[in-house]
Amino acid sequence: QKEVEQDPGPLSVPEGAIVSLNCTYSNSAFQYFMWYRQYSRKGPELLMYTYSSGNKEDGRFTAQVDKSSKYISLFIRDSQPSDSATYLCAMSNYQLIWGAGTKLIIKP
Amino acid sequence: KAGVTQTPRYLIKTRGQQVTLSCSPISGHRSVSWYQQTPGQGLQFLFEYFSETQRNKGNFPGRFSGRQFSNSRSEMNVSTLELGDSALYLCASSAPGQDYEQYFGPGTRLTVT
């Protein structure tokens, strides 16, 4: 079993929909929880990070961490075609552990 | 501030050859990590260097090696290339105390034939 599990998708939704992306993990020692976005032919870029539990909002993006369930989520409101990318979760105690990435497609 | 740069961007090599990839981190970043990305395996951690010392290592064979120079620039080397080494190799740098925030370069696309 991998330390971090993430459905690779693809996940296809119509423009304007609310998107929910999720990761589960097994290591309770993780303290930092990150979401990265990767466009085709580019390196990943950090979208948001959360320390420990709770929610964090940045514009149309909301990150949630539920440490009791070992589950993290990224919500995208009013999704746009420009949001089409691969979204990777990552977690850290002393070393970053990455999810497989979910390919998201927003259909105009 | 200039981003992370990687050279070359594309590379085609033959099985059995060796290859060296280069990475220049963001100015002031002393930590450099290397990753291999493939469609089947996702992003896999190779190793991390900090102040010229390897600080962490992933689960890759000894054919994969790296080093970091005093100016924080880093190189990774793959010897005796195999077809399965075809991948996107990404380099990322981070500021001291902010390992969770990795800044990635565009990657080097390596094709082994």
Side-chain angles (χ1 to χ4, degrees):
Chain A
Q1 185 188 3
K2 292 183 178 180
E3 274 191 283
V4 177
E5 299 278 0
Q6 184 177 13
D7 188 333
L11 176 63
S12 183
V13 301
E15 182 177 355
I18 295 174
V19 175
S20 173
L21 302 167
N22 311 295
C23 288
T24 59
Y25 63 95
S26 57
N27 188 345
S28 57
F30 288 139
Q31 291 290 340
Y32 285 92
F33 302 88
M34 284 70 67
W35 286 97
Y36 283 76
R37 177 176 62 195
Q38 184 175 21
Y39 289 114
S40 180
R41 302 188 183 283
K42 298 217 170 171
E45 58 176 341
L46 180 66
L47 260 182
M48 301 177 70
Y49 79 90
T50 308
Y51 177 73
S52 194
S53 293
N55 295 358
K56 191 170 186 177
E57 190 173 319
D58 184 2
R60 296 184 295 111
F61 298 86
T62 300
Q64 284 186 354
V65 175
D66 182 347
K67 293 191 81 176
S68 62
S69 302
K70 296 191 179 70
Y71 189 88
I72 70 169
S73 300
L74 177 71
F75 297 97
I76 307 174
R77 291 184 299 280
D78 187 25
S79 56
Q80 304 294 311
S82 58
D83 295 328
S84 297
T86 296
Y87 290 79
L88 300 106
C89 64
M91 308 178 188
S92 173
N93 43 5
Y94 66 93
Q95 184 176 333
L96 272 176
I97 307 296
W98 294 83
T102 299
K103 184 173 183 177
L104 175 64
I105 301 168
I106 309 296
K107 298 177 294 184
Chain B
K1 189 186 273 192
V4 177
T5 58
Q6 291 186 247
T7 56
R9 292 293 311 280
Y10 303 92
L11 207 50
I12 299 175
K13 289 286 189 178
T14 305
R15 267 182 303 176
Q17 288 186 314
Q18 75 164 18
V19 67
T20 299
L21 311 182
S22 181
C23 171
S24 291
I26 290 173
S27 176
H29 287 190
R30 291 159 59 190
S31 171
V32 174
S33 297
W34 288 90
Y35 296 88
Q36 182 194 68
Q37 189 174 40
T38 59
Q41 298 294 320
L43 197 66
Q44 292 191 285
F45 173 73
L46 281 156
F47 29 66
E48 180 204 3
Y49 285 87
F50 181 82
S51 292
E52 301 180 66
T53 301
Q54 188 178 87
R55 188 157 69 171
N56 284 305
K57 188 178 189 305
N59 189 25
F60 276 81
R63 299 186 297 108
F64 292 82
S65 63
R67 59 177 175 167
Q68 187 179 32
F69 302 97
S70 58
N71 61 358
S72 294
R73 192 177 69 83
S74 178
E75 289 181 346
M76 68 162 280
N77 184 276
V78 188
S79 63
T80 319
L81 284 166
E82 299 177 359
L83 293 178
D85 296 333
S86 295
L88 179 67
Y89 290 88
L90 290 159
C91 162
S93 71
S94 60
Q98 295 185 329
D99 293 342
Y100 56 86
E101 188 167 1
Q102 304 255 303
Y103 290 84
F104 283 83
T108 294
R109 173 76 60 185
L110 173 65
T111 301
V112 181
T113 62

